Amino acid sequence: DEFNRLEERILSAVSQQILTIQRGLQEQLSGVELVGRHVQLNSTVGVFVTMNPGYAGRSELPDNLKALFRAVAMAKPDLALITQVLLFSQGLVRAEELAQKVVLLFTMCAEQLSPQPHYDFGLRALKSVLVGAGALKRSALQAHLTKTAQAANAANLGAEARAPPSGEEEAPLGGSELGAVEREVLIRSCDNTVLPKLVAEDLPLYRSLVDSVFPAQERSAD
């Protein structure tokens, strides 16, 4: 997996071993010599590698190693669909709408922010944002329930009443209010993940991109 993480000199050495295995298979040998040792060769063995060409921190495959493999192109994943499913799994009701927005934000960040070797706006970073948004929403809902219970206690002070137990007689957020909370937690999660990595020159552009994707959401100043 991620074969081109190896250094070029190691890749070149590995290519000789792979070539030895492939020749042994072609000649239907029962064993081959690898690194000074005789190794039994299984006739059903196969060598498969994955790699990210052109990705930061990766090596280019030597020509003698490229010749040993047949390239298989992979389709680009549907980020919007993956994001939607992850948001639903985190309990966000407006997942379909928010998935389109956060994917658009990440796409624009990758295209418009300055090229920095430590920037990552791929699926791994996106998943961190989505999981963070789910945690923030759960915290926001818990805070809302606590506030509701405290208000009920204050209203019934002096009467024979008690606050509703946790999980019972909850006052859920309304549709528009819930949508605002979910947008807010998603933006906060984006900020928590992206802002610490940005260089100073990209901060204004990032905030501008967020405002363009979430135009109705007020942002708090840091």
Side-chain angles (χ1 to χ4, degrees):
D1 188 26
E2 298 196 40
F3 192 50
N4 57 336
R5 276 181 177 268
L6 298 173
E7 298 178 6
E8 289 189 29
R9 61 183 180 84
I10 300 178
L11 288 172
S12 182
V14 169
S15 68
Q16 295 301 318
Q17 299 176 12
I18 294 176
L19 180 59
T20 299
I21 295 172
Q22 291 182 341
R23 284 177 175 172
L25 292 172
Q26 292 171 355
E27 298 172 9
Q28 298 182 345
L29 301 178
S30 61
V32 294
E33 292 289 331
L34 289 177
V35 199
R37 295 175 53 193
H38 184 78
V39 180
Q40 185 176 356
L41 184 61
N42 190 326
S43 61
T44 62
V45 71
V47 180
F48 303 88
V49 301
T50 67
M51 56 179 290
N52 293 305
Y55 200 78
R58 306 297 191 271
S59 304
E60 290 295 327
L61 293 188
D63 291 336
N64 61 339
L65 187 54
K66 289 181 181 178
L68 302 179
F69 292 97
R70 181 179 63 184
V72 179
M74 302 296 291
K76 185 177 181 180
D78 188 340
L79 290 182
L81 181 58
I82 295 173
T83 301
Q84 180 181 331
V85 172
L86 288 173
L87 285 174
F88 273 130
S89 71
Q90 290 297 322
L92 275 73
V93 178
R94 304 291 182 89
E96 186 172 358
E97 170 194 347
L98 296 176
Q100 299 291 338
K101 289 181 177 293
V102 72
V103 168
L104 176 60
L105 175 62
F106 264 57
T107 300
M108 292 195 300
C109 285
E111 294 174 350
Q112 298 184 34
L113 296 182
S114 64
Q116 302 291 335
H118 65 282
Y119 281 5
D120 180 13
F121 296 103
L123 185 57
R124 185 178 290 107
L126 184 57
K127 183 179 179 181
S128 297
V129 168
L130 306 179
V131 173
L136 289 172
K137 181 187 175 181
R138 288 188 288 273
S139 296
L141 290 180
Q142 185 59 47
H144 172 74
L145 293 177
T146 300
K147 184 178 179 180
T148 301
Q150 291 174 345
N153 278 334
N156 293 308
L157 189 61
E160 294 182 358
R162 62 182 179 87
S166 178
E168 298 180 8
E169 301 179 20
E170 299 173 349
L173 294 172
S176 60
E177 189 177 1
L178 179 62
V181 168
E182 292 188 345
R183 286 195 303 272
E184 180 183 356
V185 298
L186 187 56
I187 292 173
R188 285 174 56 195
S189 186
C190 285
D191 287 351
N192 293 342
T193 301
V194 176
L195 283 178
K197 302 176 182 178
L198 296 183
V199 297
E201 64 188 57
D202 283 333
L203 289 174
L205 178 55
Y206 168 75
R207 294 203 178 279
S208 175
L209 293 176
V210 173
D211 289 339
S212 66
V213 173
F214 298 94
Q217 182 67 30
E218 295 183 358
R219 298 177 52 78
S220 58
D222 292 336

